[in-house]
Each structure stands twice: as C-alpha cells, then as structure tokens.
Amino acid sequence: MRKNEGTSKSKNPNLRTIEMLGKMAYYYDRIDDRWRTISYRKAITALKRQTDYIATREQAIGIPGIGERLASKVEEIACTNKLRRLESTVTDPNDRILLLFMGIYQVGLPTASRWIAQGHQSLEDLKAKADLTPNQKIGLDHYNDFLSRIPRSEVMAHAEIVRRACSNADAQIQLVVGGSYRRGSADCGDIDLIITKESASLEQIRTILVDTVIPQLFQDGFLQVGLATSRSRSTDRGSKWHGASALPGSQVWRRIDLLFVPWDEFGAALIYFTGNDIFNRSIRLLASRKKMRLNQHGLYGDIMRGEKRERITQGKLLEGRSEERIFDILGVPWRPPEHRIC
Ligand code: DCT
Ligand code: MG
C-alpha cells in the first residue's frame, strides 16, 4: 500500500536491468505464467525505488520484493548486460510461434500449443486450415489492432462517444474510464468503461445499455462487434459487455469493455476496475489479514476463516458505494489511481 509514482527516468541507475526484466515479464505474461509475471513485476517495482545501482546478487536479495532467483537474474544483467533466458525466448522458433499465436485475442497457452502440435506455423496457416471459434476469427482478422496500445487521447475519444450515447438514453448515467487510463497511463491495452447510475440496480443499468445504448452505438457505426465471453465467472454474468469499437472514419478496431455497476457497488467496482492487478491482490490480502473481504462488489466484515484460510462465513457488507470509505475502513491512506501502480 505504499505510494508509487512510477519511475523517474533521469534518476534511476537500474534502467537497463528494469528494461530487461520488463521484457521477461511481458514474455511470461504472454505465455500465461502468472506467478513468474508477478515476481518479475514485483522485482521491477522494487528496483524502481532504488537510488543506487544494484550489481550483485547479494545486493538484490537485500531488497524486499526480490527473491533469490530474480536476484541472480539482476546480477546476470549487471555483469553481462544481457539475460540468457531472454535471448533463448527470442531465438527458439517454438517460443516465437507460441507468442505469435498467443497474441490473438483470448488465445491462451493450451490453444496455442494445440495449434503448434497440429503443425500450424503462421497466422496464414491458422486462417487457412485451423478450426477457429468466432472470437478467434475476429481476433485473427484484427491481430495488429488488438495487440497495439491505444493512445490516451484516443481512449478519451471512444469514451466520449459512449458517454454521449448514455446521456441521450438516460441523463443520470455516470461513466468513468477505468483500467490503466484511470491510473494515468500514456497508452492502454483496451478501453475499460465503468458505467453506473445513482440509486440504480444492475438490472436497470444493464437494461438501458443492452436495450438502448449498445444498439444505438452499433447503428451509429461505432461498435463493430460483440465478443462472447467464455471465461466470465458465474458472478460476472450479465455485468459486462465486451466488444470492439472504431472512431468515425477509422479502420482501426479497439477492444472496449462496458462494465455495468449497480450504484451500491460503485466504489468497490472503481477499485477493482482501476487496478492494477497487483495492487488489487495486495489490497485484498490486506483486507483478509484484517478479517475483512474485498471484491468488486464491496468490502465485507466479520469474516470467519478456517485453518486453510477458507471462508466459513460470508460476512456483512461494510461499504460498497464509496472508494474513499473503503480505504478508510481498511485503515490505509487514500491512494489516487496514479499511485496504484505495483
Ligand atoms: N484486473 C485484475 N486482475 C486481473 C485482470 C484485471 O484485478 N487478472 C483488474 C485490474 C485492472 C482492470 O481489471 C482492467 O483490466 P485490464 O484492462 O486487463 O488491465 P489494465 O490495467 O487496464 O491494463 P491495459 O492497459 O493492458 O488494459
Ligand atoms: Mg485495460
């Protein structure tokens, strides 16, 4: 829960190491290796806080957030100016094809590996010969669009179009741009729009969006396609709309998520959909240490857990509506979104 204002590029003496570890984190993220991705990202955050150059394993181990294995990598980069593991990921042809295939929207390691085992080696192979789901087909057709980062100003332009359509349907609807945009990123992987209305239930908000706003945005030529979600958990059902949008006159498709949030859950949803993911993990862990539970719906108290930390009681809702109140009840200082980069 420490303040984080990102890197001051001119000052940090570990920029080269951070850059190499960042490439590895990106690689592990693309191959769905959650644990390695998180440990690399934690090490990067820790190094960004250092004011001295970290050259040895011993120095690195002394820093909270850097474990033994990562410490060896830090030393390797400092000594050799490179990382063997990174080079092997770049040169191994199977790794390269795996990364290529996993770059397709919603394609994970199992699907990408299956395609390789079936003998496919390029996107052209997949287009011509592979058995693709409708989403995979869209992902493949818009491979570069969905993989490229979206400049902040463009995220704003997409959000404004949705905001206008919402106001036309119901003047009381509120829309907040969440995700990396709310954390101040210069560019974003997708457009996360958190939508609510004072005193309204999920059902009421979803009805306005699904019956009026979304059809209107399709008719205007802004929304291009809806993307079915197979991964959504049962609790998420009906609270999200995933798709793609394009600005007037542009051929570029962007990934856009509309997140329908009941008014009573607005604060908890703001925290969750602002992230980043590691910040969310740590604030949830903090809640659980204080015998509370935080999720995208609210902060709950009186939670009883068993020996393996499994929940015995659901607990009672302490706060859902106000982001500030949730921080307050958790006993941590308010963090503006730009400081939630872990
Ligand atoms: N989130 C999370 N855990 C995940 C994925 C997402 O807590 N495993 C939360 C935090 C961010 C928010 O959902 C939106 O998710 P993304 O759009 O995937 O991430 P982002 O932070 O907006 O980054 P990007 O710029 O890549 O979209
Ligand atoms: Mg996002």
Side-chain angles (χ1 to χ4, degrees):
M1 290 299 106
R2 253 181 300 175
K3 177 175 165 180
N4 190 325
E5 292 174 281
T7 323
S8 162
K9 286 209 167 188
S10 54
K11 269 191 254 156
N12 198 302
N14 297 293
L15 274 185
R16 171 77 183 156
T17 311
I18 290 169
E19 184 195 338
M20 305 276 276
L21 296 179
K23 285 184 181 168
M24 282 308 293
Y26 178 71
Y27 167 75
Y28 284 128
D29 189 33
R30 295 265 312 257
I31 65 165
D32 271 358
D33 189 332
R34 282 296 294 154
W35 290 111
R36 284 205 178 83
T37 308
I38 287 167
S39 53
Y40 273 79
R41 282 173 49 190
K42 279 188 179 160
I44 291 165
T45 306
L47 274 181
K48 282 181 178 172
R49 294 206 182 96
Q50 303 306 309
T51 46
D52 296 329
Y53 180 53
I54 307 299
T56 68
R57 197 171 168 278
E58 282 65 36
Q59 277 177 298
I61 286 180
I63 301 170
I66 302 187
E68 286 192 22
R69 268 210 272 173
L70 261 293
S72 302
K73 305 266 189 256
V74 169
E75 182 174 270
E76 187 186 332
I77 297 167
C79 287
T80 64
N81 212 21
K82 56 189 183 189
L83 194 56
R84 277 165 303 166
R85 184 70 188 87
L86 188 60
E87 291 183 346
S88 76
T89 66
V90 176
T91 51
D92 182 329
N94 264 343
D95 261 357
R96 270 211 320 270
I97 301 171
L98 203 62
L99 283 185
L100 180 76
F101 289 176
M102 289 182 72
I104 301 169
Y105 174 66
Q106 274 190 356
V107 170
L109 190 57
T111 308
S113 314
R114 178 163 46 83
W115 285 335
I116 291 178
Q118 288 166 350
H120 303 302
Q121 298 199 339
S122 65
L123 299 182
E124 289 67 35
D125 280 356
L126 294 181
K127 268 185 201 163
K129 294 179 261 175
D131 200 10
L132 303 170
T133 66
N135 277 8
Q136 289 164 353
K137 218 175 150 327
I138 295 163
L140 199 51
D141 286 342
H142 296 274
Y143 188 87
N144 290 323
D145 284 359
F146 288 171
L147 217 50
S148 59
R149 307 282 302 170
I150 313 165
R152 199 175 166 76
S153 56
E154 205 191 312
V155 174
M156 199 63 235
H158 285 251
E160 279 313 313
I161 290 174
V162 179
R163 198 192 304 275
R164 219 173 314 126
C166 285
S167 317
N168 288 340
D170 186 323
Q172 286 178 299
I173 289 201
Q174 298 182 27
L175 181 150
V176 175
V177 191
S180 48
Y181 181 92
R182 188 159 183 251
R183 300 195 308 273
S185 289
D187 48 53
C188 307
D190 62 2
I191 301 158
D192 300 295
L193 303 179
I194 304 163
I195 297 165
T196 191
K197 176 186 166 179
E198 195 168 331
S199 307
S201 67
L202 174 62
E203 192 53 44
Q204 290 168 324
I205 293 160
R206 181 176 45 219
T207 303
I208 301 168
L209 267 291
V210 172
D211 291 354
T212 309
V213 177
I214 292 172
Q216 183 63 50
L217 288 170
F218 268 110
Q219 210 183 325
D220 295 345
F222 172 73
L223 289 179
Q224 307 300 314
V225 73
L227 294 159
T229 53
S230 53
R231 284 187 184 176
S232 296
R233 281 169 292 164
S234 56
T235 52
D236 293 342
R237 202 163 291 148
S239 63
K240 290 176 177 178
W241 186 89
H242 300 284
S245 54
L247 291 177
S250 169
Q251 300 297 316
V252 182
W253 285 22
R254 301 303 198 184
R255 280 275 308 104
I256 190 164
D257 287 347
L258 308 180
L259 310 157
F260 314 147
V261 175
W263 179 246
D264 286 339
E265 300 177 5
F266 191 35
L270 272 177
I271 293 179
Y272 178 77
F273 290 115
T274 299
N276 65 6
D277 50 352
I278 294 180
F279 175 86
N280 284 350
R281 291 165 70 97
S282 62
I283 196 168
R284 282 175 184 209
L285 186 67
L286 180 100
S288 115
R289 292 226 174 98
K290 297 197 170 185
K291 304 212 176 337
M292 291 183 257
R293 179 167 69 104
L294 178 67
N295 62 22
Q296 71 187 76
H297 306 290
L299 177 67
Y300 303 81
D302 290 337
I303 305 286
M304 278 172 55
R305 287 179 195 271
E307 276 177 23
K308 293 176 184 154
R309 300 196 61 75
E310 78 280 13
R311 245 180 297 120
I312 296 172
T313 54
Q314 288 299 315
K316 69 166 201 289
L317 179 68
L318 299 176
E319 179 64 40
R321 200 171 297 170
S322 154
E323 211 182 14
E324 285 87 350
R325 276 284 294 152
I326 292 174
F327 277 81
D328 203 31
I329 297 170
L330 283 171
V332 287
W334 160 253
R335 288 276 169 252
E338 309 84 61
H339 292 180
R340 301 181 201 167
I341 302 164
C342 304

